[in-house]
Amino acid sequence: MASIAIIGTGYVGLTTGACFSHLGHDVICADVDAEKIARLQAGEVPIVEKGLDRLVDEGIRSGKLRFVVGAANASKECEFHYLCVPTPQGADGAADLSYLEAAAAEIASVLPNKSVVVNKSTVPVGSTRVVARVLGRSDVAVVSNPEFLREGTAVSDFLQPDRVVIGSRDQEAAIRVAALYSRIAAPIMVTDPVSAETIKYASNAFLASKLSFVNAIATLCEKVGADVNDVVLGMGYDTRIGREFLRPGPGWGGSCFPKDTKALARIAEDAGYDFHFLDEVLRVNQDQFDRTAQKLIDSVDPALSGSHVAVLGLTFKAGTDDLRDSPSIEVLKRVVAAGIPVTAYDPAVLPRENRLAEMYPELKIELASDPYAAADGAASLAILTEWDEFAWLDFDKLAEVMRGRNIVDARNLLDPTIPRRRGFTYRGVGR
Ligand code: UDX
């Protein structure tokens, strides 16, 4: 079993560290945030991620998972060094590599002889070279090993991946990194670092394109009177298309798709190729936010002016508490700008937290502690995130508390016959 330092204990780093320790490796996770490390040492997991707290607890108990402040303190004892630091989008659209370079600079002098440094962060094509240059160590190999973890299912995505991609010019280092995954049943693909980095961006941008395509088809379905649920079902039977990532919605978001799609367009531009296809994918997504917002605006009967829209769901998808680049927030920015008051409920964003106001101070909306409190006096109700509990709403209760009778279901979560039977008007996506 190997010794692995994880530099950066965000959602990728913590999942990677906890999963590697579960596979039997000795893992030390490092972060610059001393408070976060103290909480992790006490077994407190700061993010909502299914199964992660159990693995952290298991790792702490077995002694195979430790947490320290400072990258150098972790790296001086280890053979593998996973860089899992953020690469946010800089003002010019390109990824900001300053955290990555700082982490590499911090560990450069303490790395034991013949260590392997692994880039797990999503980094622009060519970053493996940047890390190697900052390290300045000819005895240390730098390898790309991109992550394909979805928030909410990151642990199972790590332990049961579709594939493991390793990018390395050094065959021996690639084999050593591949061996870390020996207990995982998945194809392991070894390629050069530039191809590995491109695989990551191309995968995310392709999935985002699939979603923009499906959302555009949903718009077409509304125009021609087709039912998008049946259309995507019929498409998905074709194994060349596949069933996944065909659910239309209010637009796609999250901390990866928007950032990575824009970054890939930028990488192409820098390389002298105008990848205008991606500009259109992004534009269709903006259109989808606009269209969804218009449905919410239209759902307010002018006779009930002054009354609010009750919104269910703020996070970028169900099963996470993440509000970054959430389609729901994008839609609500437009609704609030149109002068419509909003009261929202989300099971992962409680009124006593100040998170929403801190992240989006310009977005003036009320928070409620359950769907019926949000709907109290509302002109209409809109589902923007597909939390399972919203599929089981009590429409008799909603009819009692709401002033209006309009439902906008931007995730096609409901069976329309149920609200309609109670006298509600139902509007979904593409049906
Ligand atoms: C994504 C990638 O899936 C993952 O492989 C990568 O490493 C990180 O980015 P994540 O951001 O967690 O993961 O979310 P994902 O489940 O992919 O959803 C992204 C967005 O697409 C969400 O807004 C989601 O609601 C939307 N979506 C997804 C749809 O609208 N319809 C679908 O059918 C699937």
Side-chain angles (χ1 to χ4, degrees):
M1 287 295 149
S3 58
I4 305 174
I6 305 282
I7 316 301
T9 49
Y11 125 88
V12 171
L14 188 57
T15 305
T16 302
C19 289
F20 271 143
S21 76
H22 177 70
L23 293 174
H25 301 298
D26 288 306
V27 178
I28 310 178
C29 292
D31 205 283
V32 287
D33 183 342
E35 198 188 314
K36 189 195 232 179
I37 291 297
R39 286 178 64 188
L40 284 165
Q41 282 166 338
E44 252 182 73
V45 175
I47 49 171
V48 175
E49 196 55 63
K50 201 164 144 212
L52 188 57
D53 41 5
R54 199 176 53 78
L55 291 194
V56 169
D57 185 57
E58 173 196 279
I60 293 173
R61 280 170 198 275
S62 67
K64 289 201 160 293
L65 183 62
R66 288 179 288 150
F67 298 96
V68 296
V69 179
N73 287 329
S75 283
K76 64 184 182 201
E77 296 183 32
C78 295
E79 184 188 356
F80 294 91
H81 312 266
Y82 268 79
L83 301 178
C84 303
V85 294
T87 49
Q89 198 177 340
D92 59 353
D96 170 1
L97 294 187
S98 55
Y99 296 103
L100 193 73
E101 292 182 37
E106 190 183 338
I107 61 173
S109 63
V110 302
L111 293 176
N113 199 21
K114 294 213 166 294
S115 295
V116 179
V117 172
V118 188
N119 253 345
K120 195 80 175 166
S121 308
T122 301
V123 288
V125 176
S127 299
T128 304
R129 269 197 297 268
V130 174
V131 172
R133 185 170 34 78
V134 174
L135 289 173
R137 292 269 307 255
S138 56
D139 63 319
V140 171
V142 184
V143 172
S144 163
N145 176 207
E147 53 87 10
F148 301 98
L149 309 175
R150 282 166 300 177
E151 288 187 30
T153 54
V155 169
S156 54
D157 286 346
F158 190 98
L159 296 172
Q160 288 122 38
D162 290 334
R163 77 306 209 182
V164 173
V165 173
I166 297 167
S168 176
R169 279 192 193 84
D170 178 334
Q171 195 70 13
E172 191 207 323
I175 291 167
R176 282 166 70 198
V177 173
L180 300 177
Y181 294 92
S182 59
R183 291 183 59 195
I184 283 180
I188 296 186
M189 174 185 169
V190 177
T191 180
D192 62 275
V194 170
S195 301
E197 287 157 353
T198 306
I199 288 169
K200 167 69 199 220
Y201 280 109
S203 300
N204 274 359
F206 182 82
L207 291 170
S209 308
K210 198 171 177 186
L211 293 178
S212 275
F213 183 86
V214 162
N215 285 335
I217 289 291
T219 301
L220 179 70
C221 288
E222 287 178 12
K223 304 265 182 218
V224 299
D227 183 335
V228 75
N229 283 359
D230 286 351
V231 172
V232 297
L233 185 67
M235 288 167 66
Y237 278 121
D238 187 327
T239 49
R240 292 170 303 172
I241 296 171
R243 289 160 196 267
E244 291 200 53
F245 270 72
L246 283 183
R247 268 184 297 110
W252 44 268
S255 65
C256 292
F257 281 3
K259 172 170 82 75
D260 292 352
T261 308
K262 283 179 208 148
L264 186 58
R266 177 60 198 261
I267 289 165
E269 189 188 324
D270 289 350
Y273 172 55
D274 179 3
F275 203 154
H276 50 84
F277 176 89
L278 293 179
D279 299 335
E280 198 57 25
V281 167
L282 289 158
R283 200 169 71 85
V284 169
N285 202 36
Q286 293 295 322
D287 288 350
Q288 193 68 2
F289 298 149
D290 291 344
R291 288 181 53 76
T292 309
Q294 196 56 51
K295 285 182 185 169
L296 266 66
I297 294 164
D298 293 344
S299 72
V300 177
D301 181 347
L304 298 177
S305 76
S307 188
H308 68 276
V309 178
V311 166
L312 303 185
L314 294 167
T315 56
F316 83 96
K317 63 176 185 180
T320 173
D321 63 351
D322 199 341
L323 292 167
R324 285 174 295 171
D325 270 310
S326 169
S328 173
I329 302 290
E330 286 302 320
V331 168
L332 294 185
K333 280 181 189 166
R334 290 157 170 79
V335 173
V336 169
I340 306 229
V342 171
T343 301
Y345 165 70
D346 187 296
V349 189
L350 300 175
R352 63 182 147 76
E353 296 176 49
N354 216 15
R355 233 155 37 91
L356 184 70
E358 275 165 18
M359 278 182 83
Y360 301 101
E362 71 290 358
L363 187 68
K364 302 284 177 238
I365 65 174
E366 295 277 323
L367 284 183
S369 51
D370 70 69
Y372 306 98
D376 194 5
S380 62
L381 179 124
I383 297 175
L384 294 184
T385 308
E386 74 285 20
W387 288 102
D388 198 38
E389 63 180 87
F390 302 154
W392 312 107
L393 293 169
D394 178 343
F395 283 93
D396 291 329
K397 206 164 158 187
L398 286 174
E400 269 170 39
V401 297
M402 285 173 63
R403 287 178 68 201
R405 288 287 174 273
N406 287 330
I407 305 285
V408 177
D409 178 6
R411 295 277 185 174
N412 286 350
L413 193 66
L414 303 177
D415 172 354
T417 56
I418 296 171
R420 281 183 186 141
R421 219 180 287 141
R422 266 76 169 194
F424 285 90
T425 303
Y426 174 90
R427 245 184 124 181
V429 198
R431 58 173 174 168

